[in-house]
């Protein structure tokens, strides 16, 4: 019997059993990668400027102009801090914070104002990272010692310190939001005692404190109102809002009323005689600014009309020609609002007299008479019934005759024949009356 040996399996010896269980390995998490900005890199220990000694850094800044330093301050936080320290030194302030604002030529004045505009940009940039309150405290601590920037310390008539301060301040706050500008106004009031100075002037009899009036006008105009016409409305509102209506009218006149050749305000001139339109143009623009800002809380058309009513009796009722000229300069909307208010309140005598002088001003100053005619037509629509409209037209005609007679009697009384101005006004009134009635009749029959 033959024995057959089985072939060994082909799988034998191919796999070996180690007897050890499988062990899962855990890898340690890698640390997160950190990304450094250029600003962080510049402040690291490898930064070039960090290796420069402070004395050498100051020597570099000494070679730069104010505008160049303001650009350099924006490179990094470290440089911003160093620049802030640099401009806080007494040596730099004595060198750059100029205090001479008198007896300068026009070219020197422009150069100084431009220098303070650059300073405003420098302080704006080197305090960029600070809160508004800290920014203002830092900035005004550097300039509060300049006498010509303070309201009560500037006494020279040729001083242009307020203009330099205005250029500095408006450059500094350009682009700031309204809340920040409110803080600027509060800080400025605390620094200069502005509200106390305003109160002292507006509670006094007009013209008594003429020097303080002029000083207040120059400060407010050159520092806040004139340098930036886009923000003029905001600053005017801040100046007017704290006071009652009669004081607002008083302050508005101080800021924008006509000036006499010697520099004082022409309070009495508005009462005694008719002034040219150039003397009232600034005041009209200021009224239009308040009239165009009625969305401000607490203001309305009635508020502006009340201010206007108070204005035209300071210090005494104005010459009617000045009232009429101011309304004409203020334009159709405000002029109509004033006349319509008088019509609704039954003040027909005042209304008619004012219209007669508006017609006179249109003829004197070269305005189209059709504008005055359309204005009267609009006033006619205020009256609800035909008899009321007829009575108004009759009152207007009587007033034309009465005013004409007044001018004639004044010109002949007391040998006033040599008074060419009065006689000329009489002739203009006659011409204006004829032109008005011709236009009115033409429009009525058309």
């Amino acid at each position: 019997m033959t024995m057959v040996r089985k072939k060994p399996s082909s799988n034998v010896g191919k796999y070996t059993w180690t007897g050890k269980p499988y062990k899962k390995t855990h890898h340690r998490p890698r640390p997160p990668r950190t990304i450094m900005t250029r600003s962080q890199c510049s402040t690291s220990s490898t930064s070039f400027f960090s290796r420069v000694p402070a004395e050498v850094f100051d020597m570099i800044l000494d070679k730069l102009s104010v505008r160049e330093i303001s650009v350099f301050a924006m490179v990094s936080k470290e440089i911003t801090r160093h620049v802030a320290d640099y401009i806080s030194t007494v040596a730099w302030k004595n060198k750059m914070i100029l205090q001479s604002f008198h007896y300068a030529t026009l070219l020197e004045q422009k150069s100084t104002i431009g220098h303070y505009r650059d300073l405003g940009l420098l302080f704006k940039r080197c305090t960029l990272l600070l809160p508004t309150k800290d920014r203002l405290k830092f900035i005004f601590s550097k300039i509060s010692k300049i006498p010509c920037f303070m309201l009560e310390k500037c006494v020279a008539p040729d001083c242009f310190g307020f203009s330099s301060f205005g250029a500095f301040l408006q450059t500094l706050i350009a682009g700031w939001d309204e809340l920040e500008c409110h803080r600027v106004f509060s800080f400025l009031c605390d620094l200069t005692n502005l509200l106390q100075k305003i109160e002292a002037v507006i509670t006094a009899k007009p013209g008594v404190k003429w020097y303080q009036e002029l000083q207040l006008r120059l400060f407010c105009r050159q520092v806040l109102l004139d340098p930036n016409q886009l923000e003029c409305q905001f600053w005017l509102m801040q100046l007017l809002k704290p006071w009652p209506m009669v004081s607002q009218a008083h302050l508005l006149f101080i800021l924008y009323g006509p000036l006499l050749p010697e520099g004082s305000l022409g309070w009495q001139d508005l009462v005694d005689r008719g002034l040219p339109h150039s003397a009232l143009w600034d005041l009209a623009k200021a009224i239009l600014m308040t009239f165009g800002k009625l969305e401000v809380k607490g203001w309305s058309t009635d508020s502006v009309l009340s201010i206007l009513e108070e204005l035209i009796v300071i210090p005494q009722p104005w010459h009617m020609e000045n009232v009429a000229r101011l309304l004409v300069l203020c334009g159709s909307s405000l002029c109509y609002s004033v006349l319509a208010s008088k019509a609704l309140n039954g003040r027909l005598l005042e209304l008619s007299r004012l219209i007669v002088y508006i017609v006179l001003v249109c003829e004197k100053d070269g305005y189209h008479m059709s504008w005055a005619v359309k204005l009267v037509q609009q006033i006619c629509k205020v009256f609800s019934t035909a008899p009321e409209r007829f009575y108004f037209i009759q009152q207007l005609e009587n007033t034309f005759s009465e005013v004409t007679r007044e001018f004639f009697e004044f010109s002949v009384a007391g040998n006033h024949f040599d008074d060419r101005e009065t006689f000329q006004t009489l002739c203009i009134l006659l011409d204006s009356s004829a032109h008005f009635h011709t236009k009115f009749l033409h429009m009525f029959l058309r």
Side-chain angles (χ1 to χ4, degrees):
M1 183 175 181
T2 307
M3 299 293 291
V4 181
R5 185 180 293 177
K6 292 183 178 179
K7 294 182 179 180
S9 173
S10 59
N11 293 330
V12 176
K14 186 171 283 190
Y15 300 99
T16 57
W17 176 258
T18 61
K20 295 180 180 180
Y22 174 73
K23 187 176 181 180
K24 193 174 183 180
T25 59
H26 297 275
H27 299 284
R28 292 182 179 178
R30 294 181 180 179
R33 295 178 63 187
T34 57
I35 301 175
M36 297 182 68
T37 64
R38 276 189 290 179
S39 176
Q40 290 171 324
C41 291
S42 65
T43 58
S44 66
S45 59
T46 59
S47 169
F48 168 77
F49 292 109
S50 66
R51 300 196 301 269
V52 176
E55 295 80 4
V56 177
F57 207 111
D58 289 348
M59 292 174 64
I60 294 173
L61 294 177
D62 283 338
K63 299 298 182 181
L64 301 179
S65 67
V66 173
R67 185 173 286 268
E68 288 169 340
I69 296 174
S70 72
V71 176
F72 188 41
M74 301 180 71
V75 172
S76 68
K77 292 181 181 179
E78 180 189 11
I79 294 177
T80 300
R81 287 194 296 269
H82 194 97
V83 169
D85 293 338
Y86 171 74
I87 66 178
S88 299
T89 61
V90 175
W92 185 86
K93 286 192 288 186
N94 290 339
K95 177 183 176 183
M96 291 297 177
I97 306 294
L98 307 178
Q99 301 195 28
S100 177
F101 301 97
H102 308 282
Y103 311 110
T105 64
L106 184 61
L107 187 62
E108 289 171 336
Q109 290 182 24
K110 289 183 178 179
S111 176
T112 302
I113 291 173
H115 174 72
Y116 272 95
R117 191 173 289 111
D118 290 343
L119 283 175
L121 191 61
L122 171 60
F123 281 103
K124 182 188 187 78
R125 288 173 171 172
C126 73
T127 61
L128 193 62
L129 302 177
L130 297 176
T132 302
K133 187 176 180 180
D134 294 337
R135 295 179 80 177
L136 295 173
K137 187 176 180 180
F138 175 85
I139 293 165
F140 284 110
S141 67
K142 306 295 181 290
I143 64 169
S144 59
K145 299 296 188 294
I146 302 177
C148 293
F149 280 11
M150 298 298 105
L151 183 56
E152 71 279 0
K153 296 181 180 179
C154 183
V155 295
D158 62 338
C159 179
F160 59 99
F162 291 162
S163 299
S164 300
F165 190 19
F168 173 86
L169 183 64
Q170 296 303 326
T171 303
L172 173 70
I173 65 176
W176 289 19
D177 61 33
E178 190 168 306
L179 179 60
E180 291 174 316
C181 289
H182 277 289
R183 290 171 179 160
V184 170
F185 184 74
S186 298
F187 206 94
L188 190 64
C189 289
D190 293 338
L191 182 71
T192 63
N193 294 321
L194 179 59
L195 295 182
Q196 290 85 343
K197 295 291 185 296
I198 292 176
E199 184 178 16
V201 171
I202 62 179
T203 54
K205 188 177 179 181
V208 172
K209 297 185 175 182
W210 65 270
Y211 182 77
Q212 288 85 347
E213 290 174 350
L214 183 60
Q215 195 176 47
L216 178 64
R217 176 194 180 101
L218 291 175
F219 181 86
C220 293
R221 291 282 296 267
Q222 296 180 11
V223 175
L224 296 174
L225 300 171
D226 293 347
N228 189 348
Q229 291 298 319
L230 295 176
E231 304 297 333
C232 188
Q233 283 183 336
F234 171 81
W235 297 113
L236 183 58
M237 290 298 166
Q238 301 312 305
L239 291 167
L240 294 179
K241 279 196 300 185
W243 314 107
M245 290 294 179
V246 62
S247 298
Q248 288 180 10
H250 194 153
L251 180 57
L252 200 62
F253 189 95
I254 290 173
L255 296 178
Y256 290 101
L259 288 177
L260 298 178
E262 62 270 19
S264 60
L265 286 162
W267 295 101
Q268 195 61 37
D269 278 30
L270 284 164
V271 177
D272 295 338
R273 61 189 180 89
L275 298 180
H277 70 277
S278 57
L280 297 170
W281 177 234
D282 283 350
L283 189 57
K285 287 194 296 183
I287 293 171
L288 287 175
M289 274 194 290
T290 60
F291 191 67
K293 198 72 173 178
L294 297 182
E295 67 271 16
V296 177
K297 185 177 180 181
W299 286 73
S300 64
T301 303
D302 290 339
S303 301
V304 179
L305 295 182
S306 298
I307 293 175
L308 193 55
E309 289 286 346
E310 296 289 349
L311 181 67
I312 61 177
V313 295
I314 299 176
Q316 298 171 10
W318 289 9
H319 192 290
M320 190 60 71
E321 184 178 331
N322 292 322
V323 180
R325 183 166 282 111
L326 181 63
L327 290 180
V328 171
L329 289 172
C330 285
S332 302
S333 181
L334 185 56
C335 188
Y336 169 77
S337 297
V338 171
L339 298 180
S341 174
K342 294 183 182 297
L344 290 171
N345 292 319
R347 297 158 64 181
L348 293 186
L349 184 59
E350 291 180 41
L351 172 63
S352 302
R353 196 170 185 83
L354 189 51
I355 290 175
V356 170
Y357 275 92
I358 287 175
V359 170
L360 173 64
V361 167
C362 286
E363 185 72 20
K364 257 189 175 184
D365 296 354
Y367 294 99
H368 290 291
M369 193 58 67
S370 56
W371 179 83
V373 172
K374 289 179 181 178
L375 191 64
V376 172
Q377 287 181 324
Q378 288 179 315
I379 298 300
C380 286
K381 296 177 183 178
V382 173
F383 301 99
S384 56
T385 64
E388 288 177 330
R389 287 191 288 272
F390 178 77
Y391 182 72
F392 162 64
I393 296 298
Q394 188 180 38
Q395 180 67 54
L396 183 60
E397 293 300 320
N398 293 337
T399 306
F400 265 109
S401 301
E402 183 180 345
V403 173
T404 303
R405 185 172 60 253
E406 288 175 2
F407 272 102
F408 177 76
E409 289 176 351
F410 181 79
S411 64
V412 300
N415 195 21
H416 284 288
F417 287 106
D418 293 333
D419 189 350
R420 292 185 58 188
E421 184 178 352
T422 303
F423 183 73
Q424 190 175 25
T425 302
L426 174 61
C427 295
I428 293 173
L429 178 62
L430 293 172
D431 289 340
S432 65
S433 178
H435 292 162
F436 173 81
H437 286 89
T438 301
K439 287 281 186 182
F440 188 82
L441 185 63
H442 177 72
M443 287 190 173
F444 182 78
L445 295 176
R446 188 171 57 184

